[in-house]
Amino acid sequence: MKIVDLKCAIIGKSPIVRIVTDEGISGYAQAETWKPYLKPHILAFRDALIGEDPTLVERVMLKIRQRGGFKPWGTAVSVIEMALWDLAGKAAGLPVHKLLGGKVRDKVRVYNGSVRFPFTGYRPEDYAEDMKKMMALPQGFTIFKQPIGFHSAMKREVPDFYYGEPGAGAFHGALDRGPITEKGLHHFVDCVAAMKEVTGDSVGLALDCGPGWMLGDAIRLARMLEPYNLMWIEDLLTGDYTPWVNAGVYRELTRTSTTPIHTGEQIYLRQNFKELIESQAVHVVGPDPADVGGIAELKWIAEYADLHGITMAPHGTANGVLGLGALVQVSATLPNNFIAFEYTHGDPDWWDDIVEGLPAVENGMITVPDRPGMGVEILPERAQRYLGPDDQDFFR
């Protein structure tokens, strides 16, 4: 089997990769909905892939892996890796988890970081009301992650939240940063207390906090949050589109906190997790398969983290329905340091109508499918109508 073409189309808002072979089998993968601009970056790898055997995933990846970088520039490499695994699974007639060593769990836990409701304000009562809505969702999620602080409009909408001016936000994930006021710190904690009044100990609550916090403020916040038994506090110092790790600074925060400290969604490749893990600079790592280099890379990081007593909660909020399939497959194979991965859904909603094999969430869990490949298959006859003028030959 040989690769004869690499294609990329924008469907909805997502770059979709298709690797085509001479035996009529194709592998698909999906990048985050925030990244339609990556289409030319993905197609730049076409010549390197033509003629390769797609079932030799690592051999193919050795040709292109060094051409990626921290979020968003590792995505082009990552989605190609996932499309290769999808193709290899279909060629073997096996689910991808069996190619990765086999599943160790029949169901995987997901946490809600993507099903959202519009906020009407950023007061404690607004956060409490939002938590009530999320707890009523039909998926029965058992863990919720709430954007707050620098990872929300709180930095703009709450007067005097911090000693700084938030930027205009020309790009998704723009980095606003600065010292927190005493008022801002207390407001943040009051909002967490209001959410915990709703959740009690019946579900887990995690916070997506930044990046943007100064180390001293992060230490104070972590200590003030200790009574609330949070699942984790995420990306206080770096994260999202920050193109560095700062493991040493994270370690200073982690060693003072009994609340688990989490980061990692923007990091590309295992090498850039090395210091973070070996120095035990965080309690939880959260690589995104569509940014870190793919699912095999994520699995390696999870296993290495497990050796160092660090837990795993993969990111994936905007990876779409094909990304959901990939997260289920790899999460089924991870060691017992796995907590849950971040649920991702179709955006726009019509995505659910152009795929088959989409796994359902029941009581916060997804049953691992045994369909060949990633388990979620795009249906060309239904998806064709959503292709733009430049992508009309994507399925041909």
Side-chain angles (χ1 to χ4, degrees):
M1 180 182 291
K2 301 295 181 185
I3 297 172
V4 296
D5 205 355
L6 169 68
K7 296 187 175 187
C8 182
I10 307 302
I11 303 182
K13 297 178 284 184
S14 301
I16 307 300
V17 169
R18 179 188 175 200
I19 297 177
V20 187
T21 68
D22 58 356
E23 295 187 14
I25 303 173
S26 292
Y28 292 88
Q30 182 172 4
E32 273 193 328
T33 56
W34 313 113
K35 301 172 182 173
Y37 53 86
L38 288 181
K39 179 180 176 179
H41 292 263
I42 293 167
L43 293 175
F45 292 113
R46 181 181 182 275
D47 290 347
L49 269 61
I50 299 299
E52 291 292 331
D53 181 345
T55 66
L56 302 178
V57 177
E58 181 61 17
R59 179 182 290 184
V60 178
M61 291 305 298
L62 286 171
K63 297 184 70 175
I64 65 172
R65 189 176 283 129
Q66 71 186 86
R67 301 299 179 184
F70 276 51
K71 183 179 181 177
W73 310 114
T75 301
V77 173
S78 302
V79 291
I80 288 172
E81 194 259 14
M82 291 188 285
L84 289 169
W85 282 113
D86 184 46
L87 206 161
K90 291 172 182 174
L94 295 171
V96 168
H97 71 74
K98 288 196 174 182
L99 304 184
L100 296 175
K103 61 183 179 179
V104 298
R105 53 185 64 85
D106 295 322
K107 295 183 178 182
V108 293
R109 189 175 303 278
V110 295
Y111 72 86
N112 182 38
S114 69
V115 183
R116 296 292 178 200
F117 301 94
F119 263 66
T120 56
Y122 294 87
R123 303 165 300 172
E125 53 265 39
D126 298 314
Y127 280 88
E129 183 61 29
D130 187 69
M131 191 55 57
K132 290 176 185 176
K133 292 177 182 177
M134 287 204 287
M135 289 182 68
L137 286 167
Q139 294 93 340
F141 295 110
T142 57
I143 302 173
F144 299 91
K145 185 172 79 176
Q146 184 70 274
I148 191 169
F150 282 107
H151 204 81
S152 73
M154 179 182 282
K155 61 189 175 185
R156 294 186 176 87
E157 300 297 328
V158 174
D160 303 317
F161 177 72
Y162 77 111
Y163 296 107
E165 288 291 330
F171 297 102
H172 171 250
L175 179 60
D176 293 309
R177 187 166 174 261
I180 305 295
T181 65
E182 183 179 4
K183 174 186 175 182
L185 193 62
H186 286 135
H187 180 84
F188 186 109
V189 176
D190 288 345
C191 290
V192 175
M195 288 189 282
K196 287 295 292 184
E197 281 290 322
V198 174
T199 66
D201 60 2
S202 61
V203 298
L205 176 62
L207 305 178
D208 204 348
C209 300
W213 295 71
M214 299 297 172
L215 177 59
D217 292 333
I219 291 171
R220 286 196 295 161
L221 177 68
R223 288 176 173 168
M224 292 172 73
L225 292 175
E226 286 180 355
Y228 300 104
N229 296 310
L230 299 171
M231 295 292 297
W232 64 77
I233 45 180
E234 182 172 332
D235 286 353
L236 282 162
L237 306 173
T238 63
D240 215 357
Y241 289 80
T242 315
W244 57 81
V245 177
N246 262 4
V249 183
Y250 260 112
R251 186 172 183 273
E252 289 300 307
L253 168 61
T254 295
R255 65 201 292 265
T256 69
S257 176
T258 62
T259 301
I261 305 299
H262 174 302
T263 198
E265 70 177 73
Q266 87 284 12
I267 299 174
Y268 181 63
L269 296 186
R270 68 189 72 175
Q271 288 88 345
N272 292 309
F273 276 89
K274 185 174 184 291
E275 185 182 1
L276 204 64
I277 292 171
E278 290 180 351
S279 68
Q280 297 176 314
V282 290
H283 301 106
V284 191
V285 288
D288 189 315
D291 287 300
V292 77
I295 60 172
E297 201 71 13
L298 186 147
K299 180 175 169 63
W300 190 98
I301 292 162
E303 291 170 345
Y304 199 55
D306 191 35
L307 293 179
H308 293 79
I310 294 170
T311 49
M312 179 67 146
H315 183 269
T317 185
N319 291 355
V321 295
L322 300 185
L324 178 63
L327 278 158
V328 171
Q329 292 293 324
V330 68
S331 296
T333 73
L334 300 184
N336 286 334
N337 65 335
F338 172 74
I339 302 171
F341 74 78
E342 187 170 27
Y343 179 66
T344 174
H345 65 284
D347 182 14
D349 291 341
W350 48 252
W351 257 104
D352 294 4
D353 300 324
I354 66 171
V355 297
E356 62 180 3
L358 188 62
V361 183
E362 297 181 1
N363 299 318
M365 306 286 283
I366 293 177
T367 299
V368 181
D370 285 320
R371 292 167 56 94
M374 292 296 192
V376 181
E377 182 72 10
I378 194 166
L379 300 172
E381 65 276 11
R382 296 186 185 179
Q384 183 69 35
R385 78 184 93 164
Y386 297 108
L387 295 176
D390 295 338
D391 294 327
Q392 287 298 305
D393 65 345
F394 181 68
F395 294 112
R396 297 173 190 161

